[in-house]
Amino acid sequence: MYKETYRELSHGTDEESAAKIKANGFEIRGRSDSWCGHGIYFYDIKKKAWWAANRKCEEIRKETGKKFKPAVLFADIIDIDDDKIFDLRAYKDLCDFEEGISQLFGEYSFELSGIEDVEKIIMLRALFISYYADRNDKKLVIGNFRQRPQPIYEHAIEFSNSLDMIFGIETIYCVKDNDIIENIH
């Protein structure tokens, strides 16, 4: 069994939330329709975290009328057993995922390609990923995802500092167990 380490992952938020996280640690949150469902989301591209922080502050302003300053926190995931990681970039993990999810449907076939609504596909994917991660005691989900079309954030590409981001692909680290997070700063 191998141990994996991910250092200096970045998390975008607002200053008030950042202070609470520094004092008390992260809490598992996130919307069920986020990329990988409930969890704590990190990026390996700092500018992406800043973009996410600015987006969060803008959403708070629209909802409450209050202005918050963006903030980015950094953290490490150290020595996590590789069998506790669900890596959507790894062929074996994808095969295990397909087999695990297929058991839910028995003799019924299920295909996302027949659904036209992108938001529904994302929501179903998030539910399946969360279900599989919980059922198989996965503490970290890693995946490369294509960015959703977000017309209200038309300058989303401004944060890019890699070719992956220019083409709309981002690596997301979704922590499902806050006990694996260390060195928050």
Side-chain angles (χ1 to χ4, degrees), residues 19-167:
K20 289 178 185 174
I21 292 167
K22 283 182 183 179
N24 304 315
F26 283 96
E27 291 181 30
I28 300 293
R29 291 190 179 176
R31 298 182 348 216
S32 60
D33 65 343
S34 296
W35 293 110
C36 302
H38 296 286
I40 305 160
Y41 285 80
F42 291 92
Y43 304 96
D44 53 8
I45 298 174
K46 291 175 185 90
K47 285 190 177 184
K48 172 60 185 181
W50 278 109
W51 177 83
N54 281 308
R55 183 183 74 179
K56 180 179 181 185
C57 290
E58 180 63 19
E59 288 172 355
I60 292 170
R61 187 194 60 74
K62 285 182 179 180
E63 288 177 20
T64 67
K66 297 178 184 176
K67 287 189 176 184
F68 285 88
K69 290 184 179 180
V72 171
L73 295 171
F74 298 93
D76 300 331
I77 298 169
I78 299 174
D79 294 334
I80 182 172
D81 292 335
D82 64 342
D83 68 336
K84 298 296 181 188
I85 300 171
F86 176 24
D87 192 339
L88 293 161
R89 304 166 303 172
Y91 180 74
K92 181 187 179 320
D93 285 4
L94 284 175
C95 291
D96 292 346
F97 174 63
E98 181 180 13
E99 182 180 319
I101 293 301
S102 294
Q103 293 173 5
L104 287 173
F105 301 103
E107 64 186 69
Y108 302 99
S109 66
F110 183 79
E111 197 170 312
L112 291 178
S113 63
I115 301 173
E116 297 293 325
D117 186 345
V118 172
E119 292 301 317
K120 286 182 183 173
I121 292 172
I122 291 169
M123 183 182 69
L124 285 170
R125 180 190 62 209
L127 290 171
F128 289 151
I129 289 171
S130 283
Y131 170 82
Y132 180 81
D134 290 346
R135 186 167 178 99
N136 292 285
D137 193 30
K138 301 297 183 179
K139 297 180 182 302
L140 176 65
V141 179
I142 305 171
N144 290 337
F145 295 95
R146 181 166 306 284
Q147 284 196 16
R148 302 179 199 192
Q150 299 182 10
I152 61 172
Y153 308 117
E154 64 256 357
H155 302 302
I157 208 67
E158 289 177 11
F159 64 79
S160 74
N161 68 350
S162 76
L163 287 177
D164 285 344
M165 290 309 307
I166 290 170
F167 294 111

